[in-house]
Amino acid sequence: MRKIPAPSVNPENKVFFDAASQGKLLIKKCAACGEFHHYPRAICPFCFSDKTEWRDAKGTGTVYTCSVLRRGVPEPYCIAYVTLEEGVSMLTNIVDCDLDKVSIGMKVKVVFKPTDGGPPVPMFTPA
Ligand SMILES: [Zn+2]
């Protein structure tokens, strides 16, 4: 199995990775303007309010764009932007499937993958 590097955990994303350790996907919502955003930030990127709150994401979304990396890596993998149902996009990997079948618009759902010495990271697999 591919070794996934540990994410760098900081005060802005610690809650996110604590939840990931429990198999939960969180995203941030701004209480001031109502927009979701990702990656997690203390300050809303849309209106610069600091009134951002954690919300449970459904964990389902659609592949927005994807690319399979085969050269210079020990094992091929698929890097993708997934647009969650809540409307935010996550840079992630599509896993546990035939990488040749991954396509734009494919419905996917979150799975959590262990990392090398860090908290698990959310990735996606065909729904
Ligand atoms: Zn806002």
Side-chain angles (χ1 to χ4, degrees):
M1 223 180 94
R2 183 162 69 93
K3 241 189 190 182
I4 301 164
S8 84
V9 178
N10 62 49
E12 280 190 312
N13 67 22
K14 183 172 186 307
V15 172
F16 178 84
F17 286 112
D18 285 350
S21 302
Q22 291 160 25
K24 276 173 60 178
L25 182 66
L26 296 185
I27 48 176
K28 276 248 169 138
K29 184 172 190 179
C30 174
C33 72
E35 296 280 351
F36 286 101
H37 69 264
H38 186 80
Y39 55 92
R41 278 159 281 197
I43 302 292
C44 170
F46 299 103
C47 73
F48 307 107
S49 166
D50 61 357
K51 307 264 183 303
T52 58
E53 300 167 346
W54 293 100
R55 295 292 173 85
D56 286 328
K58 286 196 188 87
T60 51
T62 310
V63 174
Y64 176 71
T65 183
C66 57
S67 174
V68 178
L69 281 85
R70 300 180 191 280
R71 295 168 65 114
V73 290
E75 241 181 281
Y77 66 98
C78 179
I79 189 162
Y81 272 102
V82 166
T83 306
L84 297 181
E85 270 185 59
E86 289 81 5
V88 298
S89 293
M90 294 179 71
L91 180 62
T92 184
N93 288 179
I94 309 297
V95 294
D96 301 340
C97 64
D98 181 349
L99 298 182
D100 291 324
K101 301 260 164 70
V102 177
S103 60
I104 290 166
M106 180 185 256
K107 300 277 180 208
V108 290
K109 61 175 192 241
V110 72
V111 287
F112 289 90
K113 291 293 171 185
T115 61
D116 191 17
V121 291
M123 294 187 168
F124 288 80
T125 191

